[in-house]
Amino acid sequence: MLDWIKRRVSGAKNQARTARSAKKPTAEVIPPAQHGIPEQKISGNALRVLERLHDAGYDAHIVGGGVRDLLLGLRPKDFDVATNATPEQVRQVFRHSRIIGRRFRIVHVMFGRDMIEVTTFRGHHSNAEDESQGEVHDSGLLLRDNVYGSIEEDAVRRDFTVNALYYGVDGNVRDFCHGMRDIQQRRIHMIGDPETRYREDPVRMLRAVRLAAKLDFTLEKSTAAPIARLAPLLDDISNARLFDEMVKLFMAGSAVKTFELMVQHQLFQVLFPGPARLLQPGNFSDQLIRQALANTDTRIRNDQRVTPAFLCAAILWPVLQQQQQHAEHEGLPPYQALQKAAQKVIGEQVRRIGIPKRFTLPMQEIWELQWQLTRRQGGRAEKMLEHPRFRAAYDFLLLREQAGEDMQGLGQWWTDYQAADAEKREQMQRDLNRTEGQPRNNRRRRGGRNRRGSHPPPHQH
Ligand code: ATP
Ligand code: MG
């Protein structure tokens, strides 16, 4: 438990040379002895940025996830710096830097392969000299946020109290929004009026559940309350930004918890409308998604590679199966039905979440290989092992079985086949010829949901 002396510092010296709003910050200043962040845990490059900006006469602090995570004893993903220097002024201090972004201009300061993101304090839009610097849409959505201000204004424009803690060159943490209290009480608390803040930027709803899941925090009541009602506002967010957010939601090590919160607050339904329609607590879709996310979490813990393609393939699999059945009803043979369904399912999903082609192509391949994995005779199994995406397809097959799809031992067969020597493999092939003669339908599922009943005739091509 953190224990610090609360010291109100009013009229703290504002070193800002360029801050437009001269409002004196009122913050609780927490010295190192009380906040307990060990300096050696802070990125040396981030400290360097603070010092160089300070030496150039500007005010600069580390803010956001870096401070928050260190206070919680976690290893921060990155360190962001906020300053009263404008992007152009920051550029002048650091030779290896560049200004990026339009909606939100920031400076990337490069140190070899390391990069520190530097943002200028954001201010109230009423400060704007030029309206276009802080455009607001009728719905309350912020189209641009390039109005600069004081550190205090910057603090209240951040999303959650625990993200508005500022670590300065003096080693003190400045708390303008009771962030320390909420760190202690382990809760995500929106700064200001939650509904207004969600309307300004609906992605904050996703950030709320992501942070709650990652930190194992609760969502403060008024922060949680409007989410389910406002979730449809995410429709206004570009599908590219939502793809980036989806990756953060599901590939940061707490995907199962995140999924549960997303379902609870109606966010999953907005991002994945197709899969959400088939989702019931405990049913096959639910099991499959949870299993895929649990595997992702485990892989991340073990420093193994994870890809959005595999995850998206899993989330969309039940929809794909349903669409494939429709296409078969219309008379297409199974493999063509699968391909047609894949096009349709991906086409609908990317309207919401802009999954790039480099991931949708592997998704399609993983799905198509589910069919190929059932066709093992006449040298096909040997060829299959050499397929560049065999491993992903095999893992996907095991995942389906884990989630309760009855593949009649197909996963085990492939496990054995990979481990077998040449002689054993021949034997396995002979056994197949004896018991089957034909490849098997790959869509049978526990619970007899297959329209052909539990003993379908084999497919013929
Ligand atoms: P992570 O551990 O994922 O990096 P983070 O809180 O640092 O978490 P970033 O996306 O790196 O998240 O953002 C840095 C900081 O910028 C946040 O802590 C928050 O103060 C502010 N911020 C980011 N996104 C928003 C937003 N949509 N609205 C308001 N403030 C935001
Ligand atoms: Mg961050």
Side-chain angles (χ1 to χ4, degrees):
M1 184 68 97
L2 285 153
D3 176 34
W4 70 91
I5 303 167
K6 291 184 176 174
R7 196 152 55 93
R8 286 234 159 239
V9 177
S10 52
K13 210 167 135 211
N14 185 356
Q15 292 162 336
R17 253 200 219 154
T18 54
R20 218 168 309 131
S21 165
K23 216 176 188 177
K24 304 249 184 208
T26 303
E28 286 176 22
V29 178
I30 304 124
Q34 270 97 51
H35 63 62
I37 296 177
E39 199 179 301
Q40 68 273 18
K41 292 261 160 106
I42 305 174
S43 140
N45 290 331
L47 290 173
R48 228 157 277 150
V49 171
L50 293 194
E51 277 157 21
R52 298 223 345 234
L53 284 170
H54 187 78
D55 291 348
Y58 302 110
D59 188 16
H61 290 81
I62 299 173
V63 64
V67 183
R68 178 197 70 217
D69 290 354
L70 285 177
L71 285 168
L72 292 166
L74 304 170
R75 190 155 55 96
K77 210 178 68 197
D78 47 41
F79 288 86
D80 302 314
V81 169
T83 178
N84 61 355
T86 63
E88 288 74 18
Q89 288 167 329
V90 176
R91 277 276 297 124
Q92 279 167 12
V93 176
F94 301 97
R95 211 151 51 89
H96 296 287
S97 64
R98 58 166 188 262
I99 299 175
I100 61 148
R102 231 173 80 85
R103 207 182 73 87
F104 199 94
R105 293 173 76 220
I106 56 184
V107 185
H108 281 174
V109 179
M110 313 304 301
F111 294 90
R113 298 173 93 192
D114 191 20
M115 189 265 293
I116 303 291
E117 232 171 64
V118 181
T119 56
T120 303
F121 294 149
R122 259 50 185 181
H124 297 302
H125 284 206
S126 52
N127 294 355
E129 278 170 359
D130 163 4
E131 259 181 25
S132 71
Q133 297 307 105
E135 272 177 83
V136 182
H137 187 262
D138 288 346
S139 65
L141 186 77
L142 276 186
L143 298 178
R144 275 189 188 216
D145 195 4
N146 289 317
V147 180
Y148 304 132
S150 67
I151 186 170
E152 195 185 47
E153 288 173 315
D154 186 77
V156 300
R157 295 211 55 78
R158 291 186 178 269
D159 45 11
F160 309 111
T161 59
V162 296
N163 284 346
L165 293 160
Y166 294 73
Y167 180 98
V169 261
D170 53 7
N172 293 334
V173 169
R174 282 175 174 72
D175 180 3
F176 299 91
C177 305
H178 303 295
M180 280 295 200
R181 179 198 62 194
D182 291 323
I183 291 252
Q184 278 188 315
Q185 298 186 1
R186 302 184 69 81
R187 61 183 187 191
I188 301 298
H189 196 160
M190 180 65 88
I191 297 169
D193 171 54
E195 173 152 357
T196 310
R197 303 301 313 281
Y198 291 138
R199 286 189 182 278
E200 277 174 4
D201 182 3
V203 168
R204 290 173 184 151
M205 294 186 271
L206 297 176
R207 291 180 55 85
V209 296
R210 172 162 73 82
L211 267 185
K214 167 182 157 159
L215 305 174
D216 201 19
F217 275 27
T218 54
L219 283 171
E220 182 274 330
K221 225 167 123 211
S222 72
T223 305
I227 298 183
R229 181 169 46 90
L230 300 179
L233 292 177
L234 284 163
D235 285 344
D236 294 338
I237 303 299
S238 81
N239 67 351
R241 185 164 176 219
L242 287 182
F243 175 75
D244 292 345
E245 288 301 321
M246 187 213 74
V247 169
K248 291 188 208 163
L249 285 161
F250 290 148
M251 305 185 90
S254 319
V256 175
K257 184 85 196 291
T258 305
F259 168 69
E260 284 168 358
L261 287 174
M262 285 176 73
V263 171
Q264 184 189 335
H265 295 284
Q266 309 284 320
L267 292 165
F268 186 78
Q269 292 80 333
V270 175
L271 293 194
F272 294 96
R277 274 193 287 276
L278 299 182
L279 189 67
Q280 294 289 335
N283 75 354
F284 172 66
S285 287
D286 190 39
Q287 303 273 5
L288 185 77
I289 294 171
R290 281 169 183 276
Q291 193 64 55
L293 296 172
N295 294 355
T296 307
D297 287 344
T298 308
R299 290 181 70 92
I300 288 170
R301 258 198 311 283
N302 298 336
D303 277 332
Q304 286 170 287
R305 213 177 68 87
V306 289
T307 158
F310 190 88
L311 205 53
C312 292
I315 294 173
L316 293 168
W317 176 250
V319 191
L320 177 86
Q321 287 185 305
Q322 197 189 48
Q323 291 298 329
Q324 184 186 0
Q325 278 192 11
H326 279 311
E328 281 185 52
H329 273 304
E330 284 165 9
L332 281 182
Y335 192 65
Q336 272 113 302
L338 174 70
Q339 287 179 313
K340 184 176 173 201
Q343 293 287 342
K344 183 154 183 243
V345 169
I346 288 175
E348 276 168 17
Q349 184 59 54
V350 296
R351 265 189 265 145
R352 212 45 80 89
I353 295 184
I355 311 167
K357 271 251 156 51
R358 69 176 186 283
F359 298 125
T360 57
L361 293 178
M363 280 165 67
Q364 260 167 288
E365 244 180 328
I366 288 171
W367 289 338
E368 286 171 14
L369 287 174
Q370 297 310 298
W371 164 252
Q372 314 285 4
L373 282 169
T374 64
R375 299 160 60 81
R376 295 163 287 177
Q377 288 151 302
R380 290 198 191 102
E382 282 303 314
K383 259 179 94 175
M384 183 70 199
L385 288 182
E386 283 158 29
H387 194 286
R389 238 175 273 287
F390 167 74
R391 185 76 218 179
Y394 164 71
D395 285 345
F396 197 85
L397 172 65
L398 296 187
L399 175 74
R400 293 166 59 197
E401 289 186 336
Q402 276 177 315
E405 215 175 320
D406 183 5
M407 299 302 296
Q408 311 206 332
L410 189 62
Q412 188 60 49
W413 189 92
W414 278 104
T415 306
D416 295 341
Y417 194 77
Q418 289 172 81
D421 58 20
E423 199 181 322
K424 176 88 199 297
R425 283 182 182 179
E426 271 173 35
Q427 182 59 47
M428 287 176 80
Q429 287 287 346
R430 280 197 295 279
D431 290 349
L432 272 186
N433 291 337
R434 210 173 39 225
T435 56
E436 293 205 345
Q438 285 294 334
R440 240 193 318 228
N441 179 349
N442 69 343
R443 292 182 301 102
R444 258 169 285 163
R445 186 188 292 171
R446 188 180 292 160
R449 285 172 57 190
N450 193 293
R451 71 196 147 89
R452 293 190 184 96
S454 54
H455 294 286
H459 285 298
Q460 310 246 282
H461 281 282

